[in-house]
Amino acid sequence: MAAPFSKEGLTYGFSIYFTSILGLAILLFSPENVQAQDSLATYKKWHVGVKGGASFSSISSTDEQITRQRPRIDFAQGIAYGAVIRYMTEKNFGLQIEVNYVEKGWREEFTSPDSEGRPQLDPTRFYRVNLSYLEVPILAHGYFGKRNLRIFATIGVYGGVLLSSSTQTAPSVDPNEITYEYLVPEQNEYDLGIRGGAGVAIVTKVGTFQVEGTYSLGLNSVLDRNRTTIPSILQNNAIVGSLGYLISF
């Protein structure tokens, strides 16, 4: 199995994710389920459920000069899962609150000379920051669609609390090479940002199955600017793909 945070690991994670989606689609669109869905014309107000998937996160910086000079900040892969409570105030519109565990951070890769002395990115030379958050998004939820196949979208804000942080540095990396070093005494324990997403939901007799993709952007800095020498705001960026299951009442 590929290492979970390598480029091969990202490819492996995506393949598992989309294989799961394909399997779920085949199951839900089987003739038995399609016929059963014709009778599911009820619209209930309360929906509760769970979701889980993979997160792909990085940081954005307001210091464009450093970013252009050292453009080696890459995505870090993690996991994300949580609970969903949704209340539909109208047939196609409602309010959604989630409580999620999300792994964020970033990864920086460095170069090594090839056989001809030219610098090339070397995956064995890296610096990685791992940040684990407990997040509570408050979102507007809306959907459209015929019968029980729905296209939905969410948009809103989230607040997060940092649960843990750690760093990994390859032995061959000089600390002076690191673009943005994560220093625990300078960390910001709280995150606040905006989040939006979209997905597809299928309503069946046993519940609602959904596939969703979201993007979130932190509005405050990962490192407290009042305590750090880094002349930049470092903002969390995260893309999360998830599968979810909800029941209605």
Side-chain angles (χ1 to χ4, degrees), residues 3-232:
F5 300 115
S6 65
K7 290 182 179 178
E8 292 80 4
L10 290 175
T11 303
Y12 178 78
F14 273 124
S15 65
I16 293 297
Y17 176 65
F18 286 112
T19 299
S20 301
I21 293 174
L22 179 60
L24 180 62
I26 293 174
L27 173 65
L28 295 177
F29 283 110
S30 63
E32 294 81 3
N33 265 330
V34 172
Q35 292 173 5
Q37 290 171 15
D38 290 340
S39 62
L40 296 176
T42 59
Y43 299 94
K44 300 180 180 179
K45 289 188 174 182
W46 287 100
H47 305 259
V48 296
V50 294
K51 59 190 294 188
S55 65
F56 303 89
S57 61
S58 186
I59 54 169
S60 59
S61 169
T62 57
D63 194 329
E64 296 182 1
Q65 183 176 356
I66 294 179
T67 303
R68 285 195 299 265
Q69 290 174 348
R70 309 177 74 175
R72 298 190 295 269
I73 306 298
D74 203 354
F75 283 92
Q77 180 186 353
I79 60 173
Y81 57 85
V84 180
I85 300 176
R86 183 187 304 152
Y87 179 75
M88 302 301 292
T89 58
E90 304 292 340
K91 176 182 175 182
N92 297 87
F93 181 82
L95 178 68
Q96 180 170 303
I97 299 176
E98 302 178 6
V99 179
N100 298 321
Y101 171 84
V102 185
E103 293 181 346
K104 297 183 179 181
W106 69 91
R107 177 185 172 99
E108 184 173 3
E109 292 185 353
F110 304 92
T111 60
S112 293
D114 61 12
S115 58
E116 299 180 359
R118 295 174 299 186
Q120 288 190 341
L121 284 178
D122 184 351
T124 66
R125 303 185 69 241
F126 67 91
Y127 173 71
R128 180 187 166 94
V129 177
N130 307 298
L131 305 173
S132 299
Y133 288 91
L134 179 66
E135 294 184 350
V136 179
I138 301 177
L139 309 164
H141 173 94
Y143 75 87
F144 66 91
K146 296 182 179 179
R147 294 189 180 277
N148 303 99
L149 177 63
R150 302 173 179 175
I151 308 298
F152 67 87
T154 59
I155 188 169
V157 298
Y158 74 88
V161 177
L162 182 65
L163 300 178
S164 65
S165 62
S166 64
T167 61
Q168 298 170 278
T169 308
S172 58
V173 173
D174 187 324
N176 293 324
E177 295 181 89
I178 298 172
T179 303
Y180 301 115
E181 186 177 4
Y182 188 86
L183 301 174
V184 173
E186 299 170 358
Q187 68 186 5
N188 194 336
E189 296 182 358
Y190 302 99
D191 193 18
L192 177 68
I194 55 177
R195 202 194 88 173
V200 178
I202 300 174
V203 181
T204 72
K205 286 185 175 180
V206 296
T208 299
F209 297 86
Q210 68 178 38
V211 179
E212 182 182 16
T214 66
Y215 171 75
S216 63
L217 172 65
L219 298 179
N220 60 340
S221 184
V222 173
L223 296 177
D224 190 337
R225 295 189 71 196
N226 295 323
R227 293 180 288 173
T228 182
T229 58
I230 296 176
S232 175

